[in-house]
Amino acid sequence: TTNKAQIYTENSLEDSSLYNRTGAECPICFTVTPPGDAIVLHECGHTFCLSCFKSYVDAQVDEGNAANIVCPMPVNQCGKCVQQIELRKVLGGNAYERLDRFAFHSVISTDPTFHHCPTPDCAFVFVRDKENCEPSE
């Protein structure tokens, strides 16, 4: 898990804007978080404590929404996409890799042009264009 100390040591000056610089109330748990303990989403400016945001992202992955994670605010109030850099920084390496795998498999499973390699234990995916590709005889 990522904690406040890891966030400060892993951040460069250019991505320090991901985290709140002043106290902020999380609209999910209604606690006021001290500076550095909440994420400020770039696309919309909404702020969430790290714990609530991580729980929200985990729930989205568990529900199969990994490919399209949007701001946790109700869609009629926001609906803006969460950026990959925000997900990577808040979740950390292993959790972000898990999210990335789920997003990849979600896209692959919903697009009929993508196919898994038929070779056992092969992780490759390919696109078959049926209009421009004739089957071999």
Side-chain angles (χ1 to χ4, degrees), residues 2-57:
T2 305
N3 63 34
K4 187 176 178 179
Q6 287 174 314
I7 290 167
Y8 283 124
T9 59
E10 292 175 359
N11 279 348
S12 65
L13 291 175
E14 63 220 25
D15 60 28
S16 64
S17 63
L18 288 173
Y19 306 98
N20 62 320
R21 294 178 191 203
T22 61
E25 182 180 62
C26 174
I28 297 173
C29 66
F30 302 108
T31 59
V32 176
T33 59
D37 281 353
I39 183 168
V40 180
L41 299 180
H42 177 74
E43 291 293 320
C44 59
H46 289 122
T47 303
F48 304 93
C49 74
L50 294 174
S51 177
C52 286
F53 186 75
K54 287 179 192 176
S55 295
Y56 167 76
V57 171

Side-chain angles (χ1 to χ4, degrees), residues 126-136:
F126 64 94
V127 176
R128 181 170 47 200
D129 183 358
K130 291 181 180 179
E131 292 178 16
N132 297 316
C133 181
E134 295 181 23
S136 59

